[in-house]
Every structure is written in C-alpha cells, then in structure tokens.
Amino acid sequence: MNTDEQQVQKKSTKGKLTLAMTAGALVGGAFVLVRNPSARTRLKETSGSTKNTVSQYISDVKADPTGAKNQLVDRIQKTASITREAINKIQDILDNEGREITNKVREVKEESKEIVSTAKEAGDELKEVGDKVGEAKDELTESKEEKKQALADGENLSVVKDDEHEIKKTIKTN
C-alpha cells in the first residue's frame, strides 16, 4: 500500500467512526425521548425557543445585513478581548504563584541548611562532652589506682565526706 491509499483508508475509517458515533447518539437520544415524557416536553420547549431565536436572527440579518455583520464582529471582538484579559490574569497569577513557590523553596532550603549546621554544632558539642566524660573516667580510674598504690606502699588515707564532697588526705607512716 502506498501513502495515498493509506490516507484514503484512514479518512474512510474516521468517516465511519464519526457516522457510527452520530448514529449512536441519535439512537440514545431517541430512546431517552421515548422513555421519558418530561424529556420530550423539555426538548419541544427548547427547540421551539431555539427556532424563535434563530428566526429572529435571520429576519434581523435580512433587514440589515451590514448592521448584523457589524454586531457579530463587535461581539466576537469583545469576546476575544475578554478572553485575552482572562488569559493575562491567569498568566499573572501563575507568575506570582511561581515566584512565591520559588521563594518558599528558597526559604526552606536556607532553613534546612541552618538545621544541618545546628545539628553539626550540637554533634561537636556532644563530642566535647563525651571527651570530658572520658577525662573524668580517666581521673577516677587514676584516683583508684593511686589509692591502691598508696595502700600497697603502706600509706594511710584519711577520708572525710559530707553530702556533696569527699576529701582524701594521705598520711605517710615511716
């Protein structure tokens, strides 16, 4: 198959699909009208109103074709103007919201950096505290070792305690 035949076949398929959809819509609409009397009444009223509106428009056009054309052109221009205004407003809103979102993202990013920095500082301070605890442990360990050594050397220790303090006094005996 060449491209011309393919295009003809595609158009034929599209035409058949459109025809089938239109026929289905008409059958569905007819079914609703047969089954629902209020739908028939509404359809009659709406189509009568539409017929009157179209008839009035046609007679206005026949009476003053130039005036009808000018009115239609004016209405189209007004509609286009209103549409442009709406699009501009939408664009402004998107631009402003986009800026606000960008600013919020920037703020969150900066706050995140501050949080990370604070966490690092806290980690460093905790490490220092850990080092001090290690020093205190070493000091306690050394004190116990000194006490053991002093006892082994025959020294007497005099210990005075109250609720908060402990005073150690070494008395050497010769």
Side-chain angles (χ1 to χ4, degrees), residues 100-166:
E100 285 184 33
I101 290 171
T102 302
N103 291 339
K104 291 291 181 188
V105 167
R106 194 175 299 124
E107 288 174 16
V108 168
K109 187 177 176 181
E110 289 170 5
E111 288 176 7
S112 297
K113 287 179 182 179
E114 289 176 19
I115 290 171
V116 168
S117 175
T118 303
K120 285 181 181 179
E121 289 173 9
D124 293 342
E125 290 175 7
L126 287 173
K127 184 179 179 205
E128 289 176 16
V129 169
D131 292 344
K132 292 290 183 184
V133 169
E135 287 177 24
K137 177 185 166 196
D138 292 344
E139 186 64 32
L140 285 174
T141 306
E142 289 175 11
S143 295
K144 286 182 183 178
E145 290 174 4
E146 288 175 359
K147 186 176 179 182
K148 288 179 187 176
Q149 186 64 35
L151 288 175
D153 291 344
E155 296 180 359
N156 291 326
L157 286 178
S158 172
V159 177
V160 178
K161 289 185 181 180
D162 64 11
D163 289 339
E164 296 180 16
H165 303 87
E166 179 177 314

Side-chain angles (χ1 to χ4, degrees), residues 16-105:
K16 288 178 185 176
L17 178 61
T18 304
L19 180 63
M21 288 174 56
T22 304
L26 289 174
V27 169
F31 181 75
V32 168
L33 291 176
V34 168
R35 302 275 298 166
N36 190 347
S38 65
R40 283 194 303 267
T41 305
R42 275 186 304 193
L43 180 63
K44 285 180 187 177
E45 291 171 359
T46 305
S47 57
S49 173
T50 304
K51 176 186 171 198
N52 291 338
T53 304
V54 170
S55 296
Q56 181 64 40
Y57 185 72
I58 289 173
S59 49
D60 289 347
V61 169
K62 284 181 180 180
D64 185 16
T66 306
K69 180 191 109 179
N70 291 340
Q71 284 179 346
L72 182 62
V73 169
D74 288 344
R75 287 175 64 191
I76 290 171
Q77 287 175 344
K78 287 178 184 177
T79 303
S81 174
I82 292 169
T83 304
R84 275 192 297 272
E85 288 176 18
I87 289 171
N88 289 337
K89 285 181 182 180
I90 290 170
Q91 188 63 45
D92 289 344
I93 290 170
L94 290 175
D95 289 344
N96 291 335
E97 293 301 319
R99 270 189 239 114
E100 285 184 33
I101 290 171
T102 302
N103 291 339
K104 291 291 181 188
V105 167

